[in-house]
Amino acid sequence: MRNTKNADQRRLEIIKKAEMLFRITNYDTTTISELTTCLNIAKGTFYHYFSSKGELLEAVVENIIDEELRKKKELLSMDRVKNLSAFEKLKIIIIEDTIASENDSILNSLHNPENAIMYTKLLGKYISKLAPLYASIFSQGCNEGIFKTDHPLECAEFIIAGCNYITNSGFHSWDN
């Protein structure tokens, strides 16, 4: 009897395999044929789930963002963290952030001019998914009297966007 998976499971499996592949190969030079061979799927299967290699990259980055959010939520719920001050929580989720270091080769693919629209769209998703988490910490900080804002969500969005711009070498090659 053939083992069948539902469409969402199969799509996620392809995304996760592609993520591993893009960590070791250059996304820009990888062809659809190489992808389907490495992922052990037919071209028809690939095109059933993704209209292009770019759409697959977008799905991979969205998966990375979702995983980062999951990790941060898990970190904030840990006994060693959940009762800390807002400042300490903020420090921990920034220090223990691994999205860039673990996914450098994938995220660098977004810096190519032809991926500018995708990059902007994914940055928006990153901000909208993670900002509520940061906003909850800012709200806690306001209650503790260490932060002052009437708009913690907007503050979080602004800080995430600003930090991304400052630390992202794809925008500007900063010197030491």
Side-chain angles (χ1 to χ4, degrees):
M1 181 173 188
R2 189 173 165 211
N3 183 13
T4 58
K5 299 174 184 169
N6 77 35
D8 291 338
Q9 287 175 320
R10 184 69 172 135
R11 184 175 190 279
L12 184 59
E13 181 181 278
I14 293 168
I15 291 167
K16 288 183 179 281
K17 285 181 180 178
E19 184 178 326
M20 291 188 306
L21 177 64
F22 291 154
R23 282 197 173 108
I24 56 174
T25 64
N26 184 326
Y27 163 82
D28 296 315
T29 59
T30 302
T31 66
I32 298 285
S33 293
E34 291 168 334
L35 270 170
T36 56
T37 300
C38 290
L39 300 175
N40 198 26
I41 59 173
K43 278 189 181 179
T45 303
F46 176 86
Y47 285 111
H48 174 76
Y49 292 101
F50 305 98
S51 63
S52 66
K53 187 172 79 162
E55 188 178 310
L56 175 60
L57 176 62
E58 189 173 333
V60 165
V61 174
E62 282 188 53
N63 191 62
I64 290 168
I65 293 168
D66 290 341
E67 183 62 20
E68 184 67 16
L69 178 60
R70 186 197 63 72
K71 285 179 184 177
K72 286 186 182 318
K73 284 181 176 180
E74 187 177 288
L75 177 64
L76 290 173
S77 70
M78 295 174 78
D79 288 338
R80 71 177 178 93
V81 177
K82 66 182 173 187
N83 294 319
L84 294 175
S85 70
F87 181 76
E88 289 300 317
K89 285 180 182 177
L90 189 59
K91 196 164 79 172
I92 285 173
I93 65 168
I94 291 170
I95 290 170
E96 296 195 21
D97 187 292
T98 59
I99 194 168
S101 61
E102 290 179 357
N103 301 290
D104 189 51
S105 60
I106 297 170
L107 298 176
N108 279 336
S109 299
L110 296 173
H111 297 150
N112 295 331
E114 64 271 11
N115 293 333
I117 292 171
M118 182 191 318
Y119 180 82
T120 303
K121 185 169 122 178
L122 289 168
L123 178 58
K125 286 183 180 186
Y126 179 80
I127 292 168
S128 66
K129 287 184 178 190
L130 272 78
L133 184 78
Y134 282 81
S136 69
I137 295 171
F138 294 157
S139 292
Q140 176 188 337
C142 289
N143 292 335
E144 294 169 353
I146 59 171
F147 300 139
K148 186 177 186 321
T149 181
D150 293 331
H151 307 283
L153 180 62
E154 292 81 357
C155 184
E157 291 168 342
F158 183 78
I159 289 173
I160 292 169
C163 288
N164 193 286
Y165 176 78
I166 289 171
T167 61
N168 191 325
S169 62
F171 284 121
H172 181 72
S173 54
W174 304 100
D175 61 23
N176 289 335

